[in-house]
Amino acid sequence: MFVYVARRIVYVIPIVVSVALVCFLLVHITPGDPLVAILPADASQELAAQLRIAYGFDRPLPVQFGLWLWKAVHGDLGHSIATGRPVLTEVMRAVGNTVTLAIAAATIGFTLGLFFGLIAGYFRDTWVDKLATSIAIAGVSVPHYWLGMVLVIIFSVQLNWLPAVGAGPGGSGAWGWDWEHIRYLILPAITTSVIPMGIVTRTVRALTGDILSQDFVEALRAKGLRETHVFRHVIKNAAPTAMAVMGLQLGYMLGGSILIETVFSWPGSGLLLNSAIFQRDLPLLQGTILVLALFFVCLNLMVDIAQAAIDPRIKRG
Amino acid sequence: MLVVGLAAAMPLAASAQTTLRIGMTAADIPRTLGQPDQGFEGNRFTGLTMYDGLTMWDLSSADKASVMIPALATEWKVDDADKKKWTFKLRPGVTFHDGSPFNADAVVWNVEKVLKQDAPQFDPSQVGVTASRMPTLASARKIDDMTVELTTKEPDSFLPINLTNLFMASPSKWQKFYDTAEGADAKAKSQAAWAAFAKDASGTGPWKMSSFTPRERLELVKNEKYWDKARVPKVDKMLLLPMPEANARTAALLSGQVDWIEAPAPDAVPQIKQRGFILKSNESPHVWPWQFSRVEGSPWNDIRVRKAANLCVDREGLKDGLLGGLMVPATGTFEPGHPWRGNVTFKIKYDKPAAQKLMQEAGFGPNKKLSVKVQTSASGSGQMLPLPMNEYLQQALAECYFDVKLDVIEWNTLFTNWRRGTKDPSANGANATNVTYAAMDPFFALVRFLQSSMAPPVSNNWGYINNPKFDELVTKARQTFEPAARDAALAELHAASVDDAAFLYVAHDVAPRAMSPKVKGFVQPKSWFVDFSPISMTP
């Protein structure tokens, strides 16, 4: 197990460096001037050159990348061009808000996904299966920003039950799992949960159906085990795959959804990315992408390790 | 009994606080350390609220153009012998929010924060949004506690107008942060001090910072000790919330989460009105134009063609149809009533027969169309609805024998290309560019486009306009120091530019904002800015 974990960690290093390189290059090769955010177009050439030097944009790209990576390894992602605030502080605050949203959305999505998936798998080809499958298809098909707007129109604008935007009465700086804050979380969390709900439903349904058709289930039933015991075996067999799917979905959610967070002005990593892109704030954009990529890679690593811990066949593979 | 009841109720009434909650279009709170980012929206919300300049805009009228008036300086004059030297008399009795006095030292300190690179308080991040708005300012010198001398690189009568953009931050407060800041060297300590100052700002403005969560909210409270008693805010608190998405802002207003939103979603305007909310708008110092290439071989070098384009657009149709009333048809950079309008002889209006006649005189007709290419963006600050508006122009101009091709690029790229000019390969062969501009001050509104020396890479004369008359009038305006005469010179320059059909003038934005009927006393001036002081909230 130790060797497996060590090998997986070593595999992660080139992935992270590649991600860092790609995101660094992507934001540098796009047209336009990174100083547009702070430098009006009628600023003098002298001033533009002065700021270009101050931000290090005058240096060759490999040098810029090397310096950026070196500092990043030491926990310094630079300062936002637009606000002057440390990128790491900005990103971590946003990631914290996204994690809050992802936890809420994952709880809703995975609970409903498991429920629908299991009953669809157990009652395959019945109306229950058709209903659960339809809900799953709707979950993955509906444009979630559109769903978000519909929910806002119904629950905020028409019924005035829940807030339309924001992270709480005092902002996320005063976040707590109290009703006043949870009210702000409900609509974005439901909107974010529909895709994982749909995907988990479909995965679990397929797994359940597959497992139920296997010989060992027949054997368990033949031994006279109660259906609740059989169900436990089904869950145990389905768990590794379902966890992998859930891990990936959680990774996507931790990456933040630009659209959902923008629709709800939820101050997470998606909204941060949105504003970094629009302000062409390169240090912020690079830092955000790097941190999110690291989250994604770490999450996948944890899922892999957890899968291996549950299913010994994976370690052997 | 009644007396007892009233006495019991009085403390409650006295403690009832009023809060104005505003949904901004910005994705983040504009910088709070004295020189805001995010263009004039930044100045509107975190500049003019917490800070003052030596001069300011008169925002009290919805009917008259906003003009520059005294603020922290009560009077000023240029030196008779050396027109590069200005003396400013400062307003006595003004204090910063931290209680320290505003004086000549504070002015020198604030000038040096953006101009003097070896000053401890020099902050490169504040330079971009300041130096370019007062390009001739060179230095500041204290004469006595309440008098300061400012020097420009060349004689420049626009200086007092440009100074509306230099906000006075408290040197004492900053120094306290600097003295306790951690850092390897003076530069790092300075950066840390500015970061701390941004979280706990201190200016002289009518609003004081009370709490700040970056990217989420800024809470301001009224400054009871504001130097202009008439402008002490009437509401106790103002809450500024970034909401970059128009539908989200609109939903926040309709659900009662905020009291005021900037730029509501256009298609929600009928619903906003129907539900009893108030929509405010006014002509803004903003122009939505096509800026023509004037290099050799450009089709726009023929004044008949430029005039024809200006006469071929039904701006009223654009306003009432596509834009739902949210624009003012442009007949120049400044409209009638503005002190810099001048005696314009070329009347810009919709006159298709006249436009067709001009085009025919220039050698074009139904069988020989003039091909022109314009570079534009799909979105962008101030661009309004760039694609549908350009498609409208494309169809309109087709009736006057133009064949318009659109080159749509990303906003930041368009903005960068603006500076590079029509000769640069990034123009993709376009002979017009569609970048909107602010027209608050003479340099931004006229000089950077019309003066030949402002051609790329110096400034925004994208099309390399080289008209000796414009150059002469720019110099005259810059070197006329008596305000009325300076305004007359600017009016002459503006009239000359319209008569020359220097641009295709299409629209002025109207800065639409929607608000709850509880919001009272708001005057929407003809400006990018707003005075929040007279606003009150009914329960």
Side-chain angles (χ1 to χ4, degrees):
Chain A
M1 184 69 187
F2 175 77
V3 175
Y4 173 77
V5 172
R7 201 170 58 218
R8 291 291 298 124
I9 289 171
V10 170
Y11 286 164
V12 160
I13 295 168
I15 294 173
V16 171
V17 174
S18 306
V19 166
L21 181 64
V22 167
C23 82
F24 180 85
L25 288 178
L26 273 179
V27 293
H28 271 84
I29 58 174
T30 49
D33 192 329
L35 292 175
V36 159
I38 53 165
L39 199 64
D42 52 342
S44 70
Q45 285 293 87
E46 187 190 349
L47 180 62
Q50 193 184 330
L51 287 183
R52 195 157 279 115
I53 292 166
Y55 284 96
F57 293 134
D58 59 321
R59 300 184 182 189
L61 268 189
V63 176
Q64 284 189 48
F65 176 65
L67 284 173
W68 176 69
L69 199 60
W70 178 252
K71 284 183 177 176
V73 168
H74 291 82
D76 177 7
L77 292 174
H79 287 75
S80 154
I81 291 181
T83 67
R85 293 191 287 263
V87 168
L88 194 61
T89 313
E90 293 259 38
V91 177
M92 293 319 288
R93 185 191 290 119
V95 166
N97 293 328
T98 297
V99 167
T100 306
L101 179 58
I103 289 171
T107 308
I108 299 169
F110 296 160
T111 308
L112 291 178
L114 275 174
F115 174 72
F116 288 134
L118 285 170
I119 61 164
Y122 258 91
F123 301 102
R124 210 159 182 156
D125 298 328
T126 65
W127 67 269
V128 176
D129 177 25
K130 282 174 187 157
L131 180 65
T133 308
S134 303
I135 292 170
I137 291 171
V140 292
S141 312
V142 69
H144 43 323
Y145 58 91
W146 174 84
L147 177 68
M149 286 180 189
V150 169
L151 292 176
V152 165
I153 289 168
I154 296 170
F155 294 102
S156 302
V157 175
Q158 301 297 338
L159 299 173
N160 216 350
W161 288 354
L162 294 167
V165 291
S172 69
W175 178 263
W177 289 94
D178 52 84
W179 175 239
E180 269 311 297
H181 284 92
I182 289 171
R183 286 179 69 236
Y184 284 79
L185 189 59
I186 292 173
L187 294 183
I190 290 175
T191 311
T192 310
S193 74
V194 293
I195 289 181
M197 184 272 289
I199 291 173
V200 171
T201 300
R202 290 168 63 176
T203 309
V204 172
R205 175 188 177 274
L207 281 170
T208 309
D210 184 42
I211 293 163
L212 284 172
S213 65
Q214 288 184 25
D215 293 343
F216 83 92
V217 174
E218 288 302 316
L220 291 173
R221 282 176 175 153
K223 279 165 71 180
L225 282 180
R226 279 187 299 177
E227 202 57 30
T228 47
H229 284 87
V230 175
F231 181 69
R232 253 185 249 159
H233 283 276
V234 171
I235 290 206
K236 198 175 173 190
N237 277 273
T241 312
M243 273 181 66
V245 173
M246 287 175 185
L248 273 176
Q249 289 306 309
L250 193 60
Y252 288 130
M253 285 193 281
L254 288 176
S257 165
I258 288 185
L259 291 170
I260 292 176
E261 291 187 358
T262 304
V263 164
F264 290 100
S265 286
W266 184 264
S269 49
L271 192 60
L272 187 68
L273 268 180
N274 185 21
S275 74
I277 291 165
F278 275 97
Q279 290 179 293
R280 197 167 281 270
D281 192 336
L282 291 195
L284 186 60
L285 192 55
Q286 286 165 342
T288 311
I289 294 173
L290 185 67
V291 170
L292 294 181
L294 282 174
F295 259 98
F296 204 84
V297 168
C298 289
L299 203 76
N300 272 314
L301 182 66
M302 285 191 288
V303 168
D304 282 355
I305 293 169
Q307 273 183 309
I310 293 171
D311 188 347
R313 289 172 299 177
I314 292 173
K315 270 179 289 189
R316 285 197 296 273
Chain B
M1 193 70 181
L2 183 66
V3 173
V4 173
L6 280 173
M10 273 179 73
L12 278 176
S15 65
Q17 289 216 319
T18 48
T19 304
L20 174 65
R21 301 162 301 169
I22 298 179
M24 304 183 293
T25 61
D28 187 9
I29 304 288
R31 300 188 80 185
T32 52
L33 73 184
Q35 298 302 142
D37 62 339
Q38 309 201 37
F40 282 160
E41 184 171 23
N43 283 19
R44 186 185 309 144
F45 286 114
T46 62
L48 293 162
T49 48
M50 292 188 283
Y51 298 94
D52 293 305
L54 293 178
T55 55
M56 66 195 291
W57 296 101
D58 179 3
L59 304 171
S60 61
S61 171
D63 307 316
K64 291 183 288 186
S66 293
V67 293
M68 186 265 300
I69 55 173
L72 293 178
T74 52
E75 56 185 281
W76 51 88
K77 72 183 203 59
V78 70
D79 192 304
D80 289 334
D82 182 354
K83 300 287 187 199
K84 291 188 283 186
K85 287 185 176 167
W86 293 76
T87 308
F88 285 78
K89 287 276 179 198
L90 305 183
R91 189 175 294 279
V94 177
T95 54
F96 287 102
H97 299 155
D98 57 302
S100 61
F102 168 74
N103 52 29
D105 289 325
V107 176
V108 174
W109 188 91
N110 275 284
V111 169
E112 292 184 349
K113 78 182 175 187
V114 288
L115 287 186
K116 195 175 176 208
Q117 292 193 33
D118 56 351
Q121 75 275 22
F122 179 75
D123 182 7
S125 75
Q126 298 186 54
V127 174
V129 290
T130 312
S132 66
R133 291 176 184 165
M134 46 203 75
T136 60
L137 182 61
S139 63
R141 184 172 73 86
K142 173 183 173 179
I143 293 178
D144 60 43
D145 269 357
M146 299 313 287
T147 314
V148 70
E149 181 187 84
L150 300 186
T151 307
T152 54
K153 293 171 197 159
E154 59 187 275
D156 185 3
S157 68
F158 305 159
L159 181 72
I161 302 170
N162 295 338
L163 287 173
T164 55
N165 293 299
L166 179 63
F167 296 110
M168 298 292 152
S170 166
S172 304
K173 185 82 180 251
W174 184 88
Q175 192 64 44
K176 278 182 192 158
F177 288 126
Y178 183 82
D179 292 341
T180 54
E182 289 180 2
D185 52 22
K187 200 174 157 191
K189 280 178 62 131
S190 176
Q191 200 171 23
W194 277 118
F197 190 92
K199 290 180 198 160
D200 186 10
S202 178
T204 62
W207 299 87
K208 298 192 289 186
M209 179 188 274
S210 58
S211 78
F212 175 40
T213 311
R215 297 196 182 273
E216 288 184 52
R217 56 180 54 219
L218 173 65
E219 189 180 279
L220 304 172
V221 293
K222 69 171 160 183
N223 176 11
E224 303 269 14
K225 295 177 183 167
Y226 188 57
W227 53 267
D228 183 354
K229 295 301 169 204
R231 288 190 61 233
V232 172
K234 288 193 166 53
V235 294
D236 300 293
K237 277 187 187 176
M238 183 156 67
L239 189 61
L240 302 174
L241 302 158
M243 293 181 188
E245 213 281 313
N247 291 305
R249 282 195 301 280
T250 306
L253 179 76
L254 295 176
S255 63
Q257 214 180 324
V258 294
D259 309 299
W260 166 315
I261 56 167
E262 302 281 286
D267 51 0
V269 167
Q271 194 191 2
I272 287 171
K273 288 180 177 170
Q274 192 190 354
R275 293 181 62 162
F277 292 91
I278 313 294
L279 189 76
K280 294 272 189 179
S281 63
N282 203 347
E283 179 194 322
S284 188
H286 164 280
V287 186
W288 194 101
W290 277 9
Q291 195 173 338
F292 300 135
S293 166
R294 300 298 304 280
V295 295
E296 197 178 339
S298 169
W300 302 109
N301 283 339
D302 187 335
I303 191 170
R304 294 169 298 192
V305 173
R306 301 199 298 276
K307 285 188 168 180
N310 270 292
L311 293 171
C312 196
V313 179
D314 177 8
R315 294 165 181 80
E316 292 293 340
L318 181 65
K319 174 189 163 191
D320 297 334
L322 193 60
L323 287 166
L326 296 180
M327 68 166 260
V328 168
T331 63
T333 294
F334 308 113
E335 295 306 309
H338 194 286
W340 303 335
R341 166 75 178 180
N343 296 318
V344 170
T345 55
F346 173 50
K347 305 292 180 201
I348 294 177
K349 58 186 177 180
Y350 180 43
D351 188 347
K352 195 163 73 177
Q356 287 172 331
K357 187 164 173 279
L358 280 166
M359 286 298 280
Q360 279 164 343
E361 285 170 13
F364 302 99
N367 300 320
K368 190 189 175 194
K369 294 204 166 186
L370 172 61
S371 183
V372 293
K373 185 174 174 183
V374 60
Q375 207 165 49
T376 185
S377 61
S379 63
S381 170
Q383 292 285 88
M384 300 169 79
L385 302 174
L387 273 184
M389 287 171 78
N390 272 299
E391 283 162 0
Y392 183 95
L393 291 189
Q394 192 176 39
Q395 288 183 28
L397 292 175
E399 295 185 29
C400 300
Y401 322 129
F402 286 92
D403 176 18
V404 177
K405 290 184 176 59
L406 300 177
D407 180 22
V408 184
I409 55 178
E410 186 265 334
W411 163 240
N412 276 307
T413 311
L414 181 72
F415 209 61
T416 306
N417 293 359
W418 196 29
R419 180 59 179 277
R420 291 177 175 156
T422 182
K423 291 179 186 172
D424 192 84
S426 62
N428 288 344
N431 36 46
T433 190
N434 170 223
V435 183
T436 51
Y437 62 90
M440 289 290 287
D441 70 65
F443 180 75
F444 265 39
L446 299 169
V447 174
R448 61 176 167 160
F449 303 121
L450 301 175
Q451 195 175 19
S452 59
S453 61
M454 292 294 129
V458 177
S459 194
N460 297 123
N461 184 353
W462 179 88
Y464 293 81
I465 287 176
N466 187 356
N467 184 330
K469 188 177 179 188
F470 293 165
D471 288 347
E472 183 190 316
L473 289 170
V474 167
T475 307
K476 182 179 169 187
R478 265 202 195 283
Q479 298 187 359
T480 303
F481 291 89
E482 197 281 312
R486 178 203 59 208
D487 287 354
L490 286 168
E492 209 180 334
L493 173 63
H494 175 253
S497 68
V498 176
D499 289 345
D500 195 51
F503 285 9
L504 170 54
Y505 302 96
V506 180
H508 303 292
D509 203 354
V510 291
R513 40 181 63 103
M515 55 195 71
S516 155
K518 289 181 191 170
V519 178
K520 303 288 182 195
F522 170 59
V523 174
Q524 173 134 342
K526 291 185 171 184
S527 173
W528 283 79
F529 307 127
V530 165
D531 185 1
F532 296 102
S533 291
I535 294 166
S536 60
M537 299 282 293
T538 56

